[in-house]
């Protein structure tokens, strides 16, 4: 199923289902937030996690503006890159709030997408930033 054809209320469930830990696909679990900073989980040692806050995509609120923004923008297709894109975008939005298009490009540069051509992903992040700031979508 294409995420682009879903409504916002289903976006979280579909993103989590396609990118969630429950699927046990290690390629979808690499990017996480460690104390708010974007990290590659496969490079972490267990000792680094003691007393730290670690969040994967499953730790995001179901009403996170990124989920609906990705669905609205048609920013997901096969779903392989979506969890990493959403986690990286969340880290950026928590750090900068209203990033420029260039900053969005830089922040998501480590995530590869074979389907969307990135423009819709960048649009989704901008849309989520506006929504979080209370602006029009």
């Amino acid at each position: 199923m294409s995420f682009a054809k879903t409504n916002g209320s289903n976006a979280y469930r579909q993103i989590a289902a396609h990118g969630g830990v429950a699927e046990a696909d290690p390629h979808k679990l690499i990017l996480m937030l460690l104390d708010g900073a974007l990290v590659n989980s496969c490079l972490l040692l267990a000792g680094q996690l003691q007393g730290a806050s670690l969040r994967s995509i499953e730790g995001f609120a179901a009403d996170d503006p990124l989920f609906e923004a990705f669905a609205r923008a048609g920013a997901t297709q096969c779903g392989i890159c979506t969890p990493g894109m959403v986690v990286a975008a969340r880290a950026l939005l928590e750090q900068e709030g209203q990033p420029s298009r260039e900053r969005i490009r830089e922040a998501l540069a480590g995530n590869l997408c074979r389907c969307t051509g990135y423009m819709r992903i960048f649009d989704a992040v901008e849309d989520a930033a506006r929504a979080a700031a209370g602006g029009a979508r």
Side-chain angles (χ1 to χ4, degrees):
M1 172 188 284
S2 169
F3 294 116
K5 296 178 182 172
T6 66
N7 64 37
S9 63
N10 292 326
Y12 170 76
R13 183 171 48 251
Q14 291 176 355
I15 289 170
H18 286 282
V21 174
E23 284 194 9
D25 182 344
H27 297 100
K28 297 178 184 177
L29 301 176
I30 293 175
L31 290 180
M32 294 185 164
L33 298 177
L34 177 65
D35 292 332
L38 190 64
V39 296
N40 289 319
S41 62
C42 59
L43 300 177
L44 295 175
L45 300 174
Q48 293 174 280
L49 304 178
Q50 188 169 5
S53 168
L54 185 66
R55 276 195 309 164
S56 68
I57 193 167
E58 288 84 3
F60 294 7
D63 62 350
D64 189 305
L66 280 166
F67 295 128
E68 290 201 29
F70 268 66
R72 246 190 330 276
T76 58
Q77 289 184 19
C78 76
I80 290 174
C81 72
T82 305
M85 292 288 187
V86 170
V87 173
R90 171 54 45 222
L92 175 65
L93 295 180
E94 287 179 2
Q95 292 171 0
E96 297 187 23
Q98 294 289 314
S100 67
R101 182 73 153 207
E102 186 57 32
R103 275 296 298 133
I104 294 169
R105 285 176 184 257
E106 291 171 5
L108 302 182
N111 295 288
L112 301 178
C113 175
R114 64 182 186 179
C115 302
T116 67
Y118 299 97
M119 294 302 114
R120 290 182 179 190
I121 294 169
F122 301 154
D123 292 343
V125 177
E126 288 177 335
D127 182 38
R130 280 191 301 275
R137 295 179 183 165

